[in-house]
Amino acid sequence: MGGPGTLSYPFFFRWPSSPPAERRAFPGGSPAGNGADGRCSIGEGWREMPLVKTEALVLAARPLGDTSKIVTLLTPELGVIRAVAKGARRPKARLAGGTAAYRVIEALLYRKEGRELDLLSEAHVLSSSPRIGSDWRLFLFAGTLSEVALAAGGEGGYHLLKTALELLEGGIEPRSVSVFFLKGTLEAQGLWPDFDCCSACGAPLSGGGAVDVPAGRVFCGRHRNKASLPLSAGGLRLLEGIERRAVLKGRQDGRVVGEALKVCLALAGYHFDLRLRSTELLAGAEHLLKREVLVKKAEGGKG
């Protein structure tokens, strides 16, 4: 995938496909100047807009014209912001480094309430994620977390996502980090089920249980339905938070983390009406890698 920083934006993000909406967001006319040459020019209206300084996480970027980008930022207090980074695609542009995915920046923005797009004036890099940027697997895990953060509206999710990305960058097992982040996001939205006892009979779930995702309830073996997702006793303990510290240190059993992650992804997908494209890409890529390993083992055995 190349060296650090070579993945400039998550290619699996879905972007608005309506140019007129982007043009309406720009004071003084189209974001691409007069629309003839595709170059980005700033209308006079930008100068009348207030400047805002904020820390931000760069989640994604898309090309705008020949030389510029539209970036998606997650901020601590302003939530999700989409802004134009004028000239950021030019070689040695001053905004180029500050618009790469999963960098923490200090952003200076021209913004006005009610507009769809702001203007990114300055982007000072506070920290970057070279490990995530050069490892396709970590990049896709980071993409999954970013998709959920955006779907959740970004409210209160900045510090949680920033911590999760730092854990990925620090080498913590990515599935464990994903469980940590998804649980925290669902809890913050009031969407996390009660794993203490069976929702039907009140019996303790010490031996395991099952999660009914649409109902947001957890049942024992006697009251589970066919569509519910099974959870072992270890998976339940993990999701209850008893072994949270061990999860972040990567000491959990892989099978247990896998079933816990499956439940978390199902809950996030249902409640946020989200089809996680990055997760699908990751699953497909890992399946191909497993097949490749099996083929090599088989060929080695024949030799």
Side-chain angles (χ1 to χ4, degrees), residues 86-299:
K86 186 175 182 289
R89 296 174 62 205
R90 291 194 182 106
K92 300 182 180 180
R94 62 185 179 85
L95 288 177
T99 54
Y102 309 128
R103 291 192 171 178
V104 180
I105 63 172
E106 184 180 71
L108 191 63
L109 297 148
Y110 285 97
R111 70 186 320 263
K112 186 174 182 180
E113 191 173 345
R115 294 206 181 272
E116 295 179 28
L117 292 172
D118 300 328
L119 176 68
L120 182 63
S121 175
E122 296 181 19
H124 301 289
V125 178
L126 302 178
S127 65
S128 58
S129 303
R131 186 170 187 169
I132 294 174
S134 60
D135 186 319
W136 65 267
R137 189 168 180 263
L138 292 180
F139 195 80
L140 288 175
F141 269 107
T144 295
L145 307 189
S146 298
E147 284 187 85
V148 173
L150 288 173
E155 297 180 6
Y158 175 82
H159 295 290
L160 185 62
L161 180 58
K162 182 181 177 183
T163 299
L165 293 176
E166 288 171 350
L167 291 169
L168 287 177
E169 184 68 21
I172 302 299
E173 206 280 317
R175 293 185 303 167
S176 298
V177 175
S178 299
V179 171
F180 161 76
F181 172 80
L182 293 169
K183 179 184 177 182
T185 300
L186 290 163
E187 282 181 331
Q189 300 283 331
L191 300 172
W192 189 248
D194 183 1
F195 286 88
D196 291 335
C197 60
C198 175
S199 297
C201 64
L205 300 171
S206 55
V211 180
D212 186 330
V213 172
R217 303 170 73 186
V218 185
F219 298 99
C220 64
R222 288 175 52 203
H223 295 98
R224 61 168 294 184
N225 57 50
K226 293 181 179 179
S228 58
L229 297 177
L231 267 176
S232 64
L236 281 168
R237 286 197 301 272
L238 190 154
L239 292 179
E240 286 173 345
I242 294 175
E243 301 179 21
R244 175 173 168 177
R245 183 175 298 178
V247 168
L248 296 184
K249 291 183 178 179
R251 295 178 180 174
Q252 273 292 340
D253 177 81
R255 182 186 60 82
V256 171
V257 175
E259 68 178 33
L261 179 57
K262 184 177 181 180
V263 168
C264 289
L265 288 171
L267 288 167
Y270 177 79
H271 288 299
F272 300 133
D273 192 21
L274 188 63
R275 179 181 175 183
L276 295 166
R277 297 182 65 198
S278 48
T279 304
E280 293 174 358
L281 288 169
L282 179 64
E286 290 191 327
H287 176 69
L288 290 175
L289 286 175
K290 287 178 181 178
R291 286 187 60 185
E292 185 178 339
V293 170
L294 290 174
V295 169
K296 287 182 178 179
K297 284 184 178 180
E299 291 176 348

